[in-house]
Each structure stands twice: as structure tokens, then as C-alpha cells.
Amino acid sequence: MLSSSWTAGSLIVQVGMDAVNAAVIDVFFDREGSARANCTFMPLVGLEGRGGAGEKTGPSACQEFVSRQQSLLGTLLDCELCRLPKAMSTVRVRYEPSELVSFLLSKAKASLEAAGVEIAMVNAGCVRARRDYEEGPFTLDNLMNELTFETPMVVVQLPGAVIA
């Protein structure tokens, strides 16, 4: 039996136990910050090698769905966020200032100027890729590799003495 329903704030999904169906659950947050989910059921029948008597079958709806989603994700990750004006690095970010991190924080600060932001800081432990970058495009994939963990950003009012 294939079914999904919301119960006590949780999405309950039942796909059966015969390994012929899969459920793909997309979890997202709406503009108000409420968790939402879409559930799509797909047959696994048609997977390579799942046909009878050694029969090879074509890609299943599930495989096609995954391929489409991976293609979309790849397109998003390849999006250029900004251009690096010269070669920069995060290789030694734990030991010394990083020009790349300063560059990215200047971009974050500029985007928050309307909120009165005068300085942007991040803990060096949040920067993880330890990579060298050439002059040119800096992509969403590059950013996701550098900031691999959730890194909450907040705007707070602080006197300069606290920062120093």
C-alpha cells in the first residue's frame, strides 16, 4: 500500500515492503519558515537486472527522476556567484588571514549594508575546503565546499571594544 499523510507534524510515508516502490521526499521551507514536503511514489520495477529470466530492462521512473534532479543540482552548483579578481586560497585559513574569506565577507557585508552592517566576521573553523582558487568564477559549489556546515549569520549591535 502506497500512502503518505501528515500526523502530529510528521510526514508518514508507507511504500510497502516488497522493494518494488520508492518514495522520494522533497523537504523544503516556505516563505514563512514552515517545513513542507512533497512525496512522490515511483516504481522500482524496470531497474537494470530486475526483469525476469535475466531480462535487461530500461531505466525506471525512479532512475529517470534521480537523473533529472542530479542534473538540476549540477546546474545550480555550477552557477557563478562572483568573480575572483586574482588567485586566492583557504589552504592556511586556520593559521593566518585568508584573502578569499575576506573577499567573500566583503560581499556578504555589501549585501547587508541596508541593514546597517559595518563589519562581517566568520569563525575560521567554518571554512573547510582548504583549496586554492584561480582568478575567475567562484561558484555555488565552491561556496558549499568552503562552508560545508550550516553557518548561521546574524546581525547584532556591538560596541567596537567587544570586537577588539
Side-chain angles (χ1 to χ4, degrees), residues 67-84:
S67 293
R68 282 193 312 273
Q69 299 308 311
Q70 286 177 331
S71 175
L72 174 62
L73 181 59
T75 300
L76 292 172
L77 290 175
D78 288 340
C79 285
E80 181 178 320
L81 298 179
C82 61
R83 295 193 68 74
L84 300 179

Side-chain angles (χ1 to χ4, degrees), residues 85-105:
K86 62 183 182 177
M88 296 184 188
S89 177
T90 58
V91 170
R92 296 194 43 83
V93 71
R94 300 270 171 60
Y95 310 106
E96 59 193 38
S98 165
E99 197 171 13
L100 176 64
V101 174
S102 296
F103 175 78
L104 294 175
L105 287 174

Side-chain angles (χ1 to χ4, degrees), residues 116-136:
V117 171
E118 296 176 3
I119 186 172
M121 298 183 293
V122 67
N123 182 329
C126 296
V127 181
R128 308 298 278 184
R130 296 183 184 180
R131 288 185 41 196
D132 293 317
Y133 296 92
E134 296 298 322
E135 174 184 343

Side-chain angles (χ1 to χ4, degrees), residues 47-70:
L47 283 176
E48 187 102 6
R50 297 277 291 187
E55 170 190 347
K56 286 186 104 175
T57 59
S60 69
C62 186
Q63 286 172 309
E64 289 171 359
F65 176 84
V66 168
S67 293
R68 282 193 312 273
Q69 299 308 311
Q70 286 177 331

